[in-house]
Amino acid sequence: MTQPILSLRGITKHFGGVKALTDVSLDLEPGKVVALVGDNGAGKSTLVKVMSGVHRPDSGTYQFEGREVAVSNPAEVADMGVQTVYQDLALCDNLDAVQNLFLGRELTGPWYTGYRVSRAAAERRAKEVLKRLRLDSISLTRNVGAMSGGQRQNIAIARSILWEPKVVLLDEPTAALSHSAAEQVGDLVRELASHGLAVLVISHDIHHFVLDNTDRIEVLRLGRNAASFNSRDVTGEQVVNAMVGGNEAVNMAG
Ligand SMILES: Nc1ncnc2c1ncn2[C@@H]1O[C@H](COP(=O)(O)OP(=O)(O)OP(=O)(O)O)[C@@H](O)[C@H]1O
Ligand SMILES: [Mg+2]
């Protein structure tokens, strides 16, 4: 079995009186796509925020590359090689793909240019990255505000890859997308794993996106680990039952 690159054990997190996570464990392995699923409020986003350094857990351990780390802020986690793409994407609609990809760390020219941003270099690098991710069809020069939801999502994911991370965390990348756009995101997610990245993706689209594009499914229910499945050995119905507590629901109905 592949060694996990990121490993959480016994994570608990309260918000005042709300227990968002209780004793949660999760492993992410290089080259694998793990789906994190669960009902609304199950704790999925909170767990991602613990992994990305936004929230500090009340208890539990965080291991990265086999070593326990004391994570204290998102910048540190990003530097370590864990990138997060949130649902709002944080793209600038009035800028094109190249400008968005390099937002906040523009490539600079040599000193005799006054360190001016080198558009040509940025375009070359953007082209190279988009090609590597099989996203060559995305225009480099159109404002991203005029692009489809799927293209915008893929640009946000491509941007996270420019930092050459080892782990990518995606919180509901397909929430606002059509079926075909979600399929494009699915292709990209598998492409990332094929390059050896560990990918975690939150999704409510169990029957299509999750079953088609992930290797393993981790189910959270009421802030706890409820089940773990190999994606190819499970039906959508079994996953949904684990999310809602199938048997209890049946008993209540009966
Ligand atoms: N910053 C916060 N302050 C207080 N409570 C919070 C905070 N963030 C999350 N919670 C609570 O923690 C619980 C888990 O929320 P979380 O956002 O992790 O769920 P989720 O599984 O991502 O749900 P969804 O599918 O709706 O996105 C919820 O009860 C939520 O209200
Ligand atoms: Mg959420």
Side-chain angles (χ1 to χ4, degrees):
M1 229 188 91
T2 327
Q3 285 299 316
I5 179 162
L6 196 163
S7 197
L8 300 176
R9 287 291 171 276
I11 298 291
T12 294
K13 177 72 190 171
H14 291 82
F15 295 106
V18 179
K19 214 166 189 188
L21 298 172
T22 306
D23 196 22
V24 172
S25 296
L26 182 80
D27 287 328
L28 302 180
E29 297 89 8
K32 296 266 185 267
V33 183
V34 173
L36 183 62
V37 308
D39 243 338
N40 294 120
K44 305 178 297 294
S45 294
T46 303
L47 190 60
V48 163
K49 286 177 181 161
V50 167
M51 281 188 266
S52 65
V54 171
H55 291 321
R56 223 193 278 214
D58 303 323
S59 58
T61 60
Y62 187 128
Q63 286 198 348
F64 187 73
E65 295 185 316
R67 270 196 299 270
E68 189 166 335
V69 288
V71 162
S72 60
N73 67 71
E76 199 178 284
V77 172
D79 284 348
M80 193 166 79
V82 180
Q83 284 285 325
T84 310
V85 180
Y86 294 103
Q87 210 179 324
D88 66 9
L89 302 184
L91 294 176
C92 289
D93 283 348
N94 58 334
L95 300 179
D96 65 25
V98 178
Q99 290 166 315
N100 268 286
L101 285 172
F102 292 99
L103 210 60
R105 49 151 173 186
E106 285 77 6
L107 298 177
T108 51
W111 61 270
Y112 53 81
T113 67
Y115 302 107
R116 262 183 315 161
V117 171
S118 165
R119 170 76 194 188
E123 262 187 37
R124 271 198 306 277
R125 177 95 172 101
K127 220 181 223 165
E128 183 189 304
V129 168
L130 293 178
K131 186 163 192 294
R132 185 142 45 101
L133 298 174
R134 300 176 198 274
L135 299 174
D136 332 47
S137 65
I138 288 180
S139 160
L140 295 178
T141 51
R142 243 168 103 208
N143 283 353
V144 303
M147 291 189 183
S148 73
Q151 288 174 322
R152 293 164 54 80
Q153 181 68 52
N154 282 342
I155 289 172
I157 296 172
R159 182 173 59 185
S160 75
I161 299 309
L162 284 177
W163 301 89
E164 303 192 352
K166 296 174 176 171
V167 178
V168 180
L169 311 173
L170 304 167
D171 193 347
E172 298 205 39
T174 63
L177 300 185
S178 68
H179 183 65
S180 68
E183 279 184 344
Q184 287 171 28
V185 173
D187 290 343
L188 178 54
V189 159
R190 283 184 284 116
E191 185 69 22
L192 298 181
S194 77
H195 290 280
L197 275 80
V199 183
L200 178 79
V201 55
I202 295 179
S203 175
H204 287 277
D205 183 2
I206 310 300
H207 289 88
H208 300 107
F209 184 83
V210 168
L211 288 181
D212 292 349
N213 298 297
T214 69
D215 298 295
R216 202 169 73 246
I217 303 171
E218 298 290 345
V219 183
L220 286 185
R221 194 162 81 85
L222 304 174
R224 294 175 181 269
N225 290 108
S228 175
F229 302 105
N230 275 325
S231 307
R232 60 167 193 281
D233 303 333
V234 74
T235 65
E237 200 187 355
Q238 287 172 305
V239 177
V240 172
N241 278 341
M243 285 167 55
V244 300
N247 293 334
E248 290 153 56
V250 170
N251 289 343
M252 273 157 50

